[in-house]
Amino acid sequence: MQLEFHQVDAFATQPFSGNPAMVYRLDGWLDDGLMQQIAAEHNLAETAFAVKEGAAWHIRWFTPSAEVPLCGHATLATAHVLFELYDEPGDVLTFTCLSGTLRVSRVGKRLVLDFPVRRAVPCELQAEVEQALGQTVQAVLALHEGLGVQELLAILPSEAAVRACQPDLAQVARLPGLGLLISAPGEAHDFVSRYFAPGIGINEDPVTGSTHCILTPYWAQQLGKQTLSAFQCSARGGELHCELDGERVKIAGQALLIASGRLLLP
């Protein structure tokens, strides 16, 4: 069996920046275990698999060690592949996933994700988060989904503090939830962030679209504005254009195809 794959740098305007994702457009679903093995083989933050089901595309995302319920950059990458390589008609793609219905629109050179708002609330984990980060923080919030914490958000005082942060990844992995998001007001952007998820095989994610479903409503309230510019200041870095629209978040960015190939399976 041979499967086509495509590697895309999402939230990037030049190669080797933004967040790389692997994309598979499938005619039918593979076994869950096989998809997890494929994601581990590629060893990128996310590998996306998409299957056409009716008028929509069902999309699933896998880190090297786990399936996740929502991923922004790999959805952007998948939309880029479907539009540019598989000639999907129109300028809007509809995706279904574990988190509901998502849409991606093509607007000029940008792709715009239409994702659900994810609201984080204050929590009582400040001491544990400060120990993991090795510094004091202004606030700690948690996103609760299902039976427990899905994500943690720590607010730092400045962009410099975000950039300089060197967390203890072993302690971060012991925190509840998928990962730890840190953020602060930006210097050239409305806000900046970084995201650490060693518990699911991602020490630091270069650019994370889904976390901006949390960050956008938070900073919209803090700054009193609905349209915000964001920068994820990882080593690769990536710029995102965010808008709070009721209970939806619009997240826009560009994408570049970096490589294509075939996976050879017995």
Side-chain angles (χ1 to χ4, degrees), residues 160-204:
V162 170
R163 289 181 178 273
C165 185
Q166 297 184 16
D168 182 326
L169 293 175
Q171 290 195 45
V172 172
R174 289 193 287 270
L175 293 170
L178 298 176
L180 175 59
L181 175 63
I182 63 174
S183 187
E187 296 171 2
H189 299 81
D190 289 310
F191 65 89
V192 298
S193 67
R194 292 171 69 190
Y195 181 61
F196 308 96
I200 56 171
I202 307 169
N203 285 345
E204 181 172 1

Side-chain angles (χ1 to χ4, degrees), residues 76 103-107 110-114 250-253:
L76 194 86
R103 289 181 178 82
V104 183
S105 302
R106 180 166 49 181
V107 182
R110 290 180 184 172
L111 293 172
V112 183
L113 304 172
D114 182 344
K250 308 290 180 62
I251 306 165

Side-chain angles (χ1 to χ4, degrees), residues 14-226:
Q14 58 185 359
F16 316 123
S17 63
N19 200 351
M22 199 65 71
V23 177
Y24 283 83
R25 175 193 177 277
L26 303 175
D27 293 326
W29 289 111
L30 305 173
D31 178 77
D32 286 7
L34 177 57
M35 288 191 287
Q36 185 63 73
Q37 287 180 307
I38 292 170
E41 182 73 12
H42 289 303
N43 200 32
L44 294 178
E46 305 286 348
T47 296
F49 301 90
V51 173
K52 191 70 172 289
E53 295 183 352
W57 289 87
H58 191 163
I59 189 168
R60 296 173 68 181
W61 311 275
F62 291 79
T63 77
S65 62
E67 184 174 6
V68 295
L70 186 65
C71 179
H73 85 277
T75 305
L76 194 86
T78 302
H80 181 78
V81 166
L82 293 175
F83 277 134
E84 302 299 328
L85 299 183
Y86 293 100
D87 297 321
E88 277 295 300
D91 290 315
V92 180
L93 292 172
T94 300
F95 293 95
T96 60
C97 66
L98 291 174
S99 297
T101 299
L102 314 174
R103 289 181 178 82
V104 183
S105 302
R106 180 166 49 181
V107 182
K109 293 183 178 181
R110 290 180 184 172
L111 293 172
V112 183
L113 304 172
D114 182 344
F115 275 22
V117 163
R118 307 173 86 197
R119 298 187 188 278
V121 296
C123 69
E124 301 297 326
L125 291 168
Q126 186 156 337
E128 292 88 341
V129 169
E130 288 181 341
Q131 185 176 15
L133 293 178
Q135 62 180 288
T136 59
V137 303
Q138 295 184 332
V140 175
L141 300 91
L143 173 72
H144 295 274
E145 291 184 349
L147 298 176
V149 173
Q150 186 78 15
E151 303 283 6
L152 289 172
L153 166 62
I155 303 301
L156 275 59
S158 66
E159 178 172 328
V162 170
R163 289 181 178 273
C165 185
Q166 297 184 16
D168 182 326
L169 293 175
Q171 290 195 45
V172 172
R174 289 193 287 270
L175 293 170
L178 298 176
L180 175 59
L181 175 63
I182 63 174
S183 187
E187 296 171 2
H189 299 81
D190 289 310
F191 65 89
V192 298
S193 67
R194 292 171 69 190
Y195 181 61
F196 308 96
I200 56 171
I202 307 169
N203 285 345
E204 181 172 1
D205 199 30
V207 190
T208 318
S210 62
T211 58
H212 288 75
C213 298
I214 303 169
L215 291 165
T216 300
Y218 176 83
W219 286 112
Q221 182 178 29
Q222 296 295 314
L223 301 177
K225 55 195 303 187
Q226 303 296 103

Side-chain angles (χ1 to χ4, degrees), residues 232-243:
Q232 191 154 335
C233 45
S234 63
R236 291 173 64 100
E239 187 173 47
L240 307 94
H241 305 270
C242 306
E243 179 184 357

